[in-house]
């Protein structure tokens, strides 16, 4: 009997005093959230204090929804159960234990675009170029445990150790922390302080999406749960975060690292139609490094509606898909908020979003880089980053990270050399970068090869003077002009600010949280367009996957060993498996037969060599791996005609 089907199922009969680890393998759509609620209910009914229960989720949206569902359980004390993301839990613990003040670290997080300046400053010499430093940065955030078998902690490679020190020095000088650094810092604190009360705070720790945790995150949770029980829920077939060194082996090998583990499995998919389940099973069976198992269809589930379509161009795809979605919405077959468009690159997503809006079918895109997109190495395209940086410096003129970014905008080298020379001067003189630049600009001191920073600093001072007294809507309009298209994504994030009272600090913090910890809206009345990764955890009635072409889905690696390429391919197959299993009814898999050659190179798509403006493409190999349930692919015009839609509207 499966534990989500019966409140007295075997996993739930485990007494509150039994500290045996519990592992639940939960395939997509198998009732994982319901199972988590049942687990919490049983613990509360057994008399466990709700304050001694911690539920860890992967996203803020999941944590918020889980917290609300726990409150609605109707069991006494349920509203006191803690549901947190791991980073939120760590941040609270470090603040409560005053670790920041003890270590003289400042919890000022770096946003993605700000990390580019850090990487440029560290690149060169033994660390290699920016790309090499990026890889080392990811390993640093995983506490140097690149593999599931690695022990988190101090790096063993000499170059890694040198990079670790250089990175820490950069962060301390600039008064900042990496967002990913929070977990390693917390792990180090708990390891070194066995008498900390935080190691005995919880009797029961329940972890969702365990397959998405890296080795350092797993060990941290082991320490938090060491005085009680640990229950993990996940699925190795949905492990899609190797870029942060999370591997499917984490949940697959859980029983080997946790003695007396009790196992349960949820295999009956309550979400997807039968044909989607069949295709998903055929797809994932191509992954050899997995425990063989099959997602089961519920008795009586429908076959669903599946279309595989190819279009001549991106423009044709965008218009055709938009018209299909509009027709289904108008016919009452799907609500706008229950339709989801997924794309491997934002260019595909933007094209469909814009086509939908032209057809008076509201659509919004949710790509992580959208709000602050732009390339700071170019002289144009970095306006939103500059605007956010200006706002940060208005809130705190001594923010060294923001000043570093401001001084680097507009330069192909991000003015790394002048800034590094300024940093050396500051460290010798005991000055902040702002104080040093004030003296250099005033002619009080001279620092060799830093004159390139002066015009940028002067421009900053002039801009700050012009907006120093503004608040609320006036401040928003000054920093993010309504007339500028690039400002729109940021203005949307700030639409609820107070017209009169919102300060620069308030506005900066609102935008920072929205950008660094994005919450995906769930109850909406528009079509959502997003990346494949962002679809994790969603359930909708219609899923359209655009850009299903070889080189993007999957994005095949040309570097690395054969084993590394195989691991990358298997993860991308898992990602496609996740994407397929988001739908309750309709699935459209769409590809294009050609791309503009320059756009193909910009997106990283692999196309044949040539000199023409247009390059040919082919459909993704994953389509061929979907098995006999996959419908035959049709051309876009045939698809529209079959549905009774004219080629043009």
């Amino acid at each position: 009997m499966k534990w989500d089907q019966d409140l007295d199922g075997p996993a739930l009969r485990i007494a509150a005093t039994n500290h045996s680890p519990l592992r639940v393998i939960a395939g997509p759509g198998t009732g994982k959230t319901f199972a988590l609620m049942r687990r919490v209910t049983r613990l509360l009914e057994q008399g466990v204090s709700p304050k001694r229960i911690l539920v860890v989720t992967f996203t803020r949206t999941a944590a918020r929804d889980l917290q609300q569902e726990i409150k609605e359980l109707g069991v006494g004390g349920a509203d006191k159960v803690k549901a947190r993301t791991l980073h939120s839990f760590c941040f609270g613990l470090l603040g409560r234990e005053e670790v920041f003040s003890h270590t003289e670290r400042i919890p000022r997080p770096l946003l993605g675009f700000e990390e580019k300046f850090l990487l440029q400053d560290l690149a060169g010499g033994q660390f290699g170029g920016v790309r090499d430093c990026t890889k080392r940065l990811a390993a640093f955030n995983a506490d140097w445990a690149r593999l599931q078998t690695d022990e988190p902690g101090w790096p063993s490679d000499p170059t890694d150790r040198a990079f670790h020190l250089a990175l820490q020095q950069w962060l301390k000088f600039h008064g900042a922390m990496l967002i990913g650094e929070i977990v390693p810092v917390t792990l180090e604190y708990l390891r070194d302080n066995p008498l900390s009360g935080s190691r005995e705070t919880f009797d029961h720790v329940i972890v969702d999406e365990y397959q998405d945790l890296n080795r350092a995150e797993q060990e941290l949770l082991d320490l938090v749960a060491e005085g009680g029980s640990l229950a993990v829920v996940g699925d190795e077939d949905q492990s899609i975060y190797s870029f942060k060194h999370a591997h499917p082996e984490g949940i697959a090998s859980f029983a080997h690292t946790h003695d007396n583990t009790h196992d349960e499995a949820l295999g009956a998919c309550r979400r997807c139609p039968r044909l989607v389940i069949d295709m998903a099973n055929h797809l994932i069976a191509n992954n050899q490094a997995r425990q063989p198992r099959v997602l089961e269809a519920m008795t009586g589930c429908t076959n669903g509606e599946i279309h595989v379509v190819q279009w001549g161009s991106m423009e044709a795809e965008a218009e055709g898909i938009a018209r299909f979605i509009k027709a289904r919405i108008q016919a009452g077959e799907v609500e706008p908020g229950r339709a989801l468009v997924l794309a491997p690159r934002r260019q595909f997503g933007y094209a469909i979003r814009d086509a939908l809006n032209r057809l008076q079918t509201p659509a919004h895109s949710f790509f992580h880089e959208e709000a602050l997109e732009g390339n700071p190495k170019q002289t144009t395209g970095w306006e939103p980053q500059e605007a956010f940086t200006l706002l940060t410096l208005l809130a705190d003129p001594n923010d060294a990270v923001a000043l570093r970014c401001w001084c680097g905008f507009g330069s192909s080298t991000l003015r790394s050399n002048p800034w590094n020379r300024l940093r050396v001067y500051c460290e010798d003189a005991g000055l902040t970068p702002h104080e040093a630049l004030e003296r250099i600009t005033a002619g009080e001191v001279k620092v060799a090869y830093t004159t390139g920073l002066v015009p940028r600093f002067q421009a900053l001072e002039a801009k700050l003077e012009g907006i120093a007294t503004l608040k609320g809507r006036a401040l928003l309009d000054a920093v993010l002009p309504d007339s500028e298209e690039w400002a729109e994504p940021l203005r949307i994030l700030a639409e609820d600010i107070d017209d009169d009272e919102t300060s620069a600090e308030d506005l900066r913090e609102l935008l920072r949280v929205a950008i660094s910890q994005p919450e995906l809206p769930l109850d909406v009345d528009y079509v959502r367009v997003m990346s494949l990764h962002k679809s994790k955890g969603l359930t909708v009635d219609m899923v359209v996957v655009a850009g299903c072409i070889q080189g993007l889905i999957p994005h095949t690696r040309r570097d690395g060993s054969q084993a590394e390429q195989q691991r990358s391919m298997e993860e991308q197959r898992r990602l496609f498996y996740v994407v397929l299993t988001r739908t309750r009814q309709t699935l459209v898999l769409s590809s294009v037969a050609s791309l503009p050659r320059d756009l193909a190179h910009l997106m990283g798509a692999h196309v044949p060599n040539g000199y023409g403006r247009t390059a040919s493409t082919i459909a993704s190999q994953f389509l061929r791996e979907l098995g006999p349930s996959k419908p035959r692919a049709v051309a876009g015009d045939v698809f529209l005609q079959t549905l009774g839609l004219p080629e043009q509207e």
Side-chain angles (χ1 to χ4, degrees):
M1 182 179 294
K2 295 182 175 60
W3 74 312
D4 66 323
Q5 294 175 329
D6 185 349
L7 189 59
D8 294 317
L12 288 174
R13 289 199 200 105
I14 299 174
T17 55
N18 188 328
H19 287 177
S20 296
L22 172 65
R23 173 177 59 178
V24 181
I25 304 299
T30 56
K32 176 187 64 176
T33 301
F34 185 63
L36 288 172
M37 295 303 96
R38 288 289 180 91
R39 177 68 172 169
V40 172
T41 298
R42 172 59 84 188
L43 292 173
L44 292 174
E45 290 180 344
Q46 290 176 347
V48 176
S49 169
K51 294 181 180 180
R52 305 283 294 180
I53 301 173
L54 172 67
V55 182
V56 178
T57 67
F58 194 68
T59 66
R60 282 202 308 151
T61 301
R64 181 197 62 200
D65 293 345
L66 204 56
Q67 188 81 60
Q68 183 60 37
E69 292 191 42
I70 290 173
K71 290 180 180 179
E72 296 173 359
L73 285 174
V75 182
D79 59 330
K80 295 182 175 63
V81 173
K82 296 185 184 299
R84 302 282 189 273
T85 65
L86 186 56
H87 278 73
S88 173
F89 169 76
C90 290
F91 196 85
L93 185 155
L94 293 174
R96 184 172 63 253
E97 301 286 351
E98 298 186 343
V99 175
F100 294 127
S101 60
H102 284 306
T103 59
E104 297 183 346
R105 295 301 304 275
I106 299 174
R108 189 281 194 202
L110 262 69
L111 296 181
F113 82 90
E114 294 172 330
E115 288 185 3
K116 297 177 182 178
F117 294 84
L118 176 155
L119 292 167
Q120 187 70 37
D121 288 352
L122 296 182
Q126 62 176 325
F127 302 145
V130 170
R131 184 176 181 181
D132 297 313
C133 289
T134 301
K135 292 179 179 179
R136 293 188 193 278
L137 188 66
F140 172 85
N141 283 331
D143 212 7
W144 298 105
R146 292 180 171 94
L147 303 175
Q148 181 63 31
T149 53
D150 289 344
E151 180 70 16
W154 189 249
S156 57
D157 178 79
T159 305
D160 283 348
R161 288 201 298 269
F163 182 85
H164 185 111
L165 289 173
L167 176 60
Q168 290 278 21
Q169 290 167 357
W170 193 99
L171 291 169
K172 288 180 179 180
F173 173 79
H174 290 86
M177 291 184 70
L178 296 165
I179 293 174
E181 193 182 1
I182 295 294
V183 169
V185 170
T186 309
L187 175 58
E188 181 181 345
Y189 167 73
L190 291 180
R191 276 176 167 174
D192 295 342
N193 295 273
L195 295 181
S196 167
S198 296
R199 288 179 62 161
E200 299 179 353
T201 301
F202 301 102
D203 294 325
H204 296 273
V205 178
I206 304 172
V207 186
D208 192 16
E209 305 287 9
Y210 190 79
Q211 76 281 347
D212 292 331
L213 303 182
N214 60 37
R215 187 69 188 88
E217 293 165 335
Q218 294 164 13
E219 181 159 333
L220 171 62
L221 288 168
D222 285 343
L223 288 177
V224 174
E226 67 178 355
S229 72
L230 176 64
V232 303
V233 184
D235 178 15
E236 64 173 305
D237 288 335
Q238 298 184 75
S239 176
I240 57 175
Y241 290 97
S242 67
F243 58 82
K244 74 180 192 76
H245 299 295
H247 306 290
E249 294 89 349
I251 192 164
S253 63
F254 182 85
H256 298 297
T257 55
H258 297 78
D259 294 338
N260 302 315
T261 293
H262 180 92
D263 279 328
E264 290 292 331
L266 306 178
C269 181
R270 291 161 169 75
R271 175 194 301 153
C272 303
R274 186 177 303 276
L275 293 181
V276 169
I277 293 173
D278 288 344
M279 291 192 302
N281 282 327
H282 275 89
L283 173 76
I284 204 63
N286 287 276
N287 276 7
Q288 299 177 12
R290 66 184 288 266
Q291 297 293 324
R293 62 187 180 86
V294 175
L295 192 63
E296 304 166 9
M298 293 290 290
T299 302
C301 76
T302 64
N303 282 334
E305 178 189 8
I306 318 296
H307 300 285
V308 183
V309 191
Q310 187 171 62
W311 311 85
S313 65
M314 278 184 63
E315 293 78 12
E317 178 186 58
E319 292 298 324
I321 292 299
R323 298 190 52 243
F324 168 73
I325 294 174
K326 177 184 178 181
R328 290 305 169 89
I329 291 174
Q330 287 183 329
E333 297 178 18
V334 65
E335 297 177 4
R338 304 295 295 172
L340 191 64
V341 177
L342 305 176
R345 296 290 186 273
R346 66 179 184 268
Q347 290 88 346
F348 284 95
Y350 289 172
I352 296 175
R353 175 200 64 188
D354 294 344
L356 282 166
N357 286 322
R358 284 195 298 271
L359 294 177
Q360 285 76 53
T361 303
H364 294 280
S365 54
F366 299 91
F367 290 87
H368 179 71
E369 71 277 22
E370 181 176 10
L372 288 173
E373 70 179 28
N375 186 351
K377 290 189 177 183
Q378 297 177 352
T379 55
T380 59
W382 39 261
E383 290 90 344
Q385 298 173 6
E386 185 179 66
F388 181 84
T389 300
L390 178 65
L391 180 63
T392 301
L393 288 166
L394 179 61
D396 179 7
N398 287 305
D399 188 304
V401 173
L403 187 56
R404 166 67 189 97
C405 296
W406 182 271
C407 288
F409 285 132
S411 167
S412 61
T413 64
L414 307 185
R415 298 188 180 88
S416 181
N417 286 337
W419 185 265
N420 283 336
R421 289 179 179 275
L422 178 73
R423 176 183 163 187
V424 171
Y425 170 73
C426 289
E427 291 172 335
D428 290 341
L431 299 174
T432 67
H434 190 274
E435 291 169 338
L437 282 171
E438 281 185 322
R439 295 187 182 187
I440 293 171
T441 302
E444 297 175 8
V445 297
K446 291 185 178 180
V447 180
Y449 304 107
T450 61
T451 53
L453 304 176
V454 172
R456 289 294 298 167
F457 185 72
Q458 291 173 324
L460 171 65
E461 295 286 271
K463 285 182 176 291
L464 290 177
E465 183 178 358
I467 60 175
T469 61
L470 299 181
K471 287 188 175 183
R473 188 64 55 176
L475 174 61
L476 178 68
D477 291 339
V479 177
L480 302 169
D482 187 36
S483 59
E484 298 291 345
E485 184 177 352
W486 56 261
E488 180 183 358
L490 287 169
R491 289 184 64 91
I492 290 174
L493 296 178
E495 60 186 358
D496 295 329
I497 68 168
D498 188 302
D499 282 349
D500 299 317
E501 299 302 323
T502 301
S503 66
E505 293 88 344
D506 296 334
L507 181 57
R508 183 271 318 269
E509 187 63 11
L510 185 155
L511 292 175
R512 184 193 65 78
V513 172
I515 293 165
S516 63
Q517 304 176 53
E519 284 194 80
L520 195 63
L522 300 180
D523 298 323
V524 297
D525 58 358
Y526 50 80
V527 178
R528 288 168 293 175
V529 184
M530 64 190 70
S531 68
L532 276 61
H533 273 90
K534 272 202 173 63
S535 69
K536 185 74 171 287
L538 297 180
T539 296
V540 293
D541 296 327
M542 174 190 289
V543 170
V544 176
V545 189
C548 294
I549 60 175
Q550 192 68 15
L552 293 183
I553 301 178
H555 179 64
T556 51
R557 292 184 55 176
R558 293 178 174 178
D559 60 341
S561 66
Q562 185 174 353
E564 289 172 333
Q565 293 183 42
Q566 179 65 23
R567 284 195 293 271
S568 174
M569 179 64 71
E570 294 208 348
E571 176 169 77
Q572 292 182 72
R573 191 174 284 117
R574 292 192 295 270
L575 176 59
F576 202 57
Y577 175 83
V578 168
V579 166
L580 296 178
T581 53
R582 299 306 94 196
T583 185
R584 289 184 179 275
Q585 177 58 31
T586 304
L587 176 66
V588 179
L589 303 175
S590 176
S591 65
V592 298
S594 66
L595 285 173
R597 191 175 297 277
D598 57 349
L599 181 59
H601 290 308
L602 178 66
M603 293 190 295
H606 298 167
V607 295
N609 293 328
Y611 299 98
R613 297 179 62 183
T614 302
S616 63
T617 59
I618 63 172
S620 166
Q621 72 178 70
F622 288 164
L623 301 185
R624 302 191 294 275
E625 298 177 2
L626 297 178
S629 296
K630 177 183 72 70
R632 185 186 298 269
V634 299
D637 57 348
V638 175
F639 170 67
L640 295 176
Q641 291 168 10
T642 301
L643 297 173
L645 298 173
E647 292 187 39
Q648 299 293 331
E649 181 168 288

